[in-house]
Amino acid sequence: MRAEIIQRETAGTDRMTAILAAVKSVLRTRHAAAVPEAGIDLMFDAGVVARCRACNVSWRVARTQYKSPHWWACPSGCHRRGAA
C-alpha cells in the first residue's frame, strides 16, 4: 500500500516536472511544446495556453497557476470520464 502511494506521488512529481519544463520552453521560445505524459500540448498566445490532446479543449493558465497540478487537467473532465 505504501509503495503504491509513493509510486503515485513520484508519477505526479515527474508529470509536474515535465509540464514546468515545457512551460519554460514555451515562454522562452514562443513555440508549442508537447507534454504527452500529461495528455496536453502547450502554446503561447499572450501567455501560456494548454490544449487537451483527447478532446482539443484549450484553456489559459496564468503564471500564478503554473505549479498547481489541477490547472493542467482538462477542464472538460474527459480524462476522468475515460478512466471511470
Side-chain angles (χ1 to χ4, degrees), residues 2-84:
R2 174 109 170 108
E4 289 177 18
I5 293 170
I6 291 171
Q7 186 176 11
R8 274 184 274 159
E9 288 174 355
T10 301
T13 302
D14 292 346
R15 181 176 171 266
M16 281 304 298
T17 300
I19 290 169
L20 293 174
V23 167
K24 186 176 180 179
S25 174
V26 167
L27 290 172
R28 186 177 55 242
T29 66
R30 305 296 199 248
H31 294 289
V35 190
E37 50 275 269
I40 59 174
D41 294 320
L42 302 180
M43 295 150 273
F44 187 87
D45 182 16
V48 175
V49 177
R51 186 188 67 196
C52 177
R53 292 176 141 211
C55 69
N56 290 320
V57 167
S58 62
W59 62 99
R60 288 193 184 279
V61 182
R63 186 174 300 270
T64 58
Q65 300 159 335
Y66 291 167
K67 293 186 179 181
S68 299
H70 69 275
W71 278 102
W72 301 109
C74 180
S76 75
C78 65
H79 288 297
R80 287 185 299 275
R81 285 192 303 268

